[in-house]
Amino acid sequence: MAIDMAELTELLPNSVIKDIIDFTDIELKDGRMSTRVTVGHILTDEEKSKMKSEKIIGIDCITHHRYAPEIKKSYFYVV
């Protein structure tokens, strides 16, 4: 894993930590290793403001369910 869980809990608010549904280790286009974190809801502006860090990128990313586009989830990358 690209990041330690203790570090992750320091970076994220409790509302985000409770709703994490997936971790995926990936390699970014620039070659850095990262962890993609998928959250079961759309991040609020308050959550995004608490997550301002150099280690978190792509905080505004949203994924849609393949067969039900009305189901949306946020994801971001932790470097």
Side-chain angles (χ1 to χ4, degrees):
M1 186 177 221
I3 188 164
D4 184 14
M5 287 303 292
E7 287 182 61
L8 189 62
T9 57
E10 293 175 9
L11 294 172
L12 304 177
N14 288 336
S15 58
V16 175
I17 292 171
K18 291 191 295 187
D19 207 15
I20 292 175
I21 57 174
D22 187 37
F23 295 101
T24 307
D25 290 335
I26 62 159
E27 184 176 349
L28 298 174
K29 289 181 180 179
D30 62 3
R32 294 183 291 170
M33 291 305 295
S34 178
T35 301
R36 177 182 163 162
V37 180
T38 305
V39 183
H41 66 274
I42 302 296
L43 294 174
T44 64
D45 290 334
E46 182 180 336
E47 290 171 334
K48 290 178 187 178
S49 66
K50 290 180 182 178
M51 294 170 56
K52 296 289 182 188
S53 171
E54 292 178 7
K55 292 187 173 194
I56 298 176
I57 57 175
I59 200 162
D60 292 322
C61 297
I62 297 175
T63 184
H64 301 270
H65 190 276
R66 182 179 202 168
Y67 299 110
E70 67 275 4
I71 299 174
K72 299 177 184 176
K73 298 174 184 164
S74 288
Y75 67 92
F76 52 91
Y77 300 94
V78 181
V79 181

